[in-house]
Amino acid sequence: MIVTFPHMGTLHIVLKALLTALGVRAAPPPPVSKTTLEIGARYSPETACLPFKTTLGNFIQALGAGADTILTCGGEGPCRLGYYATVQRDILRDLGYKFAMIVIEPDIASVWQALRRLTPGGLRPVWPAFRLAGAKLRALDAIEQTACRARPRAAVTAAVDAARLSALAAVDAAATPAAAAGAAAALLRRLETLPVGDGPEPLRVGLVGEIYVMLECGVNGDLVRRLGQMGVEVHPTMLLGDYVGAHILRDRAALRRSAAVVAAAAPFLGHYVGGHGIKSVGHTAAMGQTGFDGIIHVFPFTCMPEVIAKNILPGVSEKAGIPVLSLAFDEQTGEAGTVTRLEAFVDLLRYRSRKGFLQASKNPAKNCECDQYHCWPSCPRI
Amino acid sequence: MPPTVGIPRGLLYHYYGDIWSAFFRRLGAIPAVSPETTRAVIEAGNCIDEVCLPVKAFFGHARALADKVDLLFLPRVVSVAAGHYSCPKIIGLPDIMRAAFPGGPPLIAPTVDLRTGRGSLLRAITGVGGTLGRSPLYSLYAWQRAWRECRRPYTAAVGAADLPRVALVGHPYILRDRQISMDVTGKLAAMGVDVLTADRVDPRAADQAAAALPKNIFWHYCRRLAGAALAFLGASPPPAGMIFLTSFACGPDSLVGEQLRRQAGHRGVPFLLLALDEHTAEAGLVTRLEAFTDMLPRRRP
């Protein structure tokens, strides 16, 4: 059994560790590229959303490279994600691929079944496997946060990217939870020694929207890194750990954070609309009051929950006094277009910040709830 | 003077509109349904970004009603059955309305979410009644009467036997709206085919057919539509062709349509997918319908 799974940011490092520790051979698809998108779009329904097309491309590339089992997620609406697996399985079968598909539905019986299929040797390795995967997940999130903070301040941005990549490799190679945590800590130390540039104070921009487009730099035009180069400290509102914490482990802190966001969204959007639509609205409303310079809202073209958010965000932007840029991505999205719009938006934010649009109290330590927005440098998570 | 309650002629109006009107009449209000969709209505709703054509039309209707009524009825229908959802855009309707048209009339926007029982429907009914100054008991009675008045039992309709039968699958808010659908139903009938629509299928048969799919379609209205389509395909003989009428950027239809295309292919039924938006040209649509209907007799044994 050679198991593959869809890409989403650095999730493959976690899943690879989990599967390997369970005693299964893991074969992640090649990194998401233009080719992945082309292949996926060719065999997908025309107006399916971008994550559908990209993950289908992942599967085709992975099956072509020798994988024989696909591990993916299911779900029960109203977002389309819940129906991906069913349609993708049929498309792949019609293309002639022979494979098994393990779909994890959000109920305990399905998780149990998937686990039994993935652990032919017995359940003994399950606990240590999940512990290792969990440690890697936390380390990866910490690395992204550190890199987001360091990029706009560093004299040479490329040095931060290089450090990040070597830290990711170290986490990937780590065999114990302690080694994974150590790799993240090492990156933090290394970035502290990097020379600081003499540019202006970084702008603080919140990144809201749909999780896949936010995390997968293969489809978002490497948004976070580019913004960092432009002198923007990006605060992603979604990290791998948040998703796992809120949706799978249902841990108390993650649920409390979710509830706070939903409450902030309430005056504008009064009900869950699937996906992360309500969070996009809630985070924008909350970040407008905590000293952020602007919000970038990203989502796949035709994404139903985010289209609702997009139509509501102009009002939120006005009420909260924070500029919002909405960007839809699909396989037609060109890099140059995205960069131009980001540059124009960043120019606007610079102008505003020079003109003192943000009132005197732009003091992150005072204004920002660390717990909510992954604020640095005092963030206890790192 | 009793208050007028505006009911936009779009989306779920095409399922429950009669009941809503009867309900408001029994509550002592004057229901005001907007007239049929026109180009101008769609243009007025075009200020909503990136949504599908029926949602644009819906907001055009809502906007046309806004200055003529005292209240606007925009229910938030989250779910009408256990394990089912509406499309996210239907769930978000009242919020988009408030965001896009500030300063409109107050909304009657009860939330109906039947995933975990009927309580939410009862609360919605008594809540609407309360807004209009009626007691909970009277409101429930009014709803019950409205429901009885408007419920139409299913009767199997028979079509002309000698014409090629074409199944036309699509949401009622597309098919029944002659502007949005460009009257595809009428055009097909004029081309000499017997048009089969979902109301020619026994709801129970449709439900059974939908249950046979490998995974429950959790969008209620799509499940209904897919069930009817599968019931057509499962009939013997199956229809001579199937046309799936959807609107560009409809999320659920993009995946469900793919499933139906595949099912039709397995049974050798020709399948035509027509995606409509406000830019669809009538001539192009007619050409494609003609090509499709011309092809049908050639395929017959």
Side-chain angles (χ1 to χ4, degrees), chain A residues 213-226:
Chain A
V213 171
M214 198 187 297
L215 295 181
E216 180 51 64
C217 52
V219 301
N220 65 18
D222 221 351
L223 190 78
V224 174
R225 199 173 57 81
R226 278 183 204 280

Side-chain angles (χ1 to χ4, degrees), chain A:
Chain A
M1 185 159 66
I2 306 172
V3 183
T4 192
F5 39 78
H7 271 298
M8 184 169 84
T10 50
L11 183 66
H12 61 281
I13 296 178
V14 180
L15 288 177
K16 201 172 113 192
L18 180 71
L19 290 169
T20 312
L22 288 175
V24 183
R25 241 178 96 192
V32 175
S33 62
K34 280 268 165 245
T35 321
T36 315
L37 247 72
E38 268 165 33
I39 299 175
R42 192 180 311 152
Y43 301 110
S44 300
E46 187 192 348
T47 52
C49 42
L50 186 64
F52 181 98
K53 296 177 180 177
T54 318
T55 52
L56 183 69
N58 282 156
F59 294 152
I60 291 176
Q61 285 184 314
L63 292 175
D68 59 16
T69 306
I70 292 172
L71 177 68
T72 188
C73 66
E76 272 289 320
C79 159
R80 268 179 277 187
L81 173 68
Y83 216 70
Y84 275 15
T86 317
V87 181
Q88 285 175 334
R89 176 169 44 206
D90 286 351
I91 293 174
L92 291 170
R93 289 231 172 102
D94 279 7
L95 287 174
Y97 290 106
K98 299 267 177 292
F99 62 96
M101 200 171 207
I102 303 176
V103 184
I104 301 180
E105 295 288 346
D107 61 78
I108 196 77
S110 161
V111 173
W112 178 249
Q113 251 174 11
L115 214 53
R116 294 299 310 209
R117 282 175 75 179
L118 289 170
T119 50
L123 295 172
R124 189 181 292 266
V126 167
W127 172 243
F130 273 91
R131 228 167 67 88
L132 177 62
K136 290 198 177 191
L137 190 72
R138 281 189 295 279
L140 291 172
D141 282 353
I143 289 169
E144 298 304 347
Q145 290 180 334
T146 312
C148 275
R149 173 174 163 73
R151 251 184 230 117
R153 294 182 168 83
V156 188
T157 328
V160 178
D161 294 325
R164 170 180 170 268
L165 284 180
S166 67
L168 292 183
V171 172
D172 194 12
T176 62
L187 174 73
L188 189 60
R189 279 196 302 277
R190 190 169 152 195
L191 290 177
E192 270 172 357
T193 63
L194 284 181
V196 177
D198 51 4
E201 181 67 11
L203 294 165
R204 298 173 73 224
V205 167
L207 187 58
V208 305
E210 193 271 340
I211 186 168
Y212 182 86
V213 171
M214 198 187 297
L215 295 181
E216 180 51 64
C217 52
V219 301
N220 65 18
D222 221 351
L223 190 78
V224 174
R225 199 173 57 81
R226 278 183 204 280
L227 283 167
Q229 284 172 346
M230 295 176 196
V232 173
E233 183 179 288
V234 185
H235 291 244
T237 52
M238 213 100 62
L239 295 166
L240 286 175
D242 296 322
Y243 184 76
V244 174
H247 292 262
I248 298 168
L249 304 178
R250 318 213 39 95
D251 82 74
R252 207 171 286 170
L255 288 178
R256 189 163 45 81
R257 279 201 294 273
S258 286
V261 177
V262 170
F268 308 99
L269 178 57
H271 200 278
Y272 169 74
V273 288
H276 309 288
I278 197 164
K279 289 198 172 175
S280 301
V281 174
H283 280 305
T284 304
M287 285 176 145
Q289 324 214 307
T290 38
F292 279 82
D293 294 288
I295 300 287
I296 294 180
H297 173 224
V298 295
F299 59 97
F301 180 59
T302 76
C303 169
M304 301 180 287
E306 297 300 338
V307 162
I308 298 170
K310 192 200 165 179
N311 278 296
I312 291 174
L313 281 177
V316 184
S317 164
E318 201 175 304
K319 275 260 170 62
I322 187 166
V324 177
L325 173 69
S326 276
L327 292 174
F329 289 85
D330 70 3
E331 71 272 19
Q332 319 274 348
T333 303
E335 212 171 278
T338 308
V339 173
T340 309
R341 293 165 78 186
L342 289 180
E343 281 170 353
F345 189 64
V346 170
D347 280 351
L348 166 87
L349 298 186
R350 276 261 176 263
Y351 175 80
R352 277 174 55 103
S353 100
R354 267 205 306 274
K355 286 277 174 188
F357 272 86
L358 292 163
Q359 286 77 30
S361 63
K362 195 193 160 187
N363 178 2
K366 184 183 155 202
N367 273 330
C368 195
E369 307 153 46
C370 176
D371 192 27
Q372 191 75 22
Y373 291 125
H374 315 304
C375 288
W376 309 285
S378 56
C379 186
R381 288 190 183 194
I382 298 181

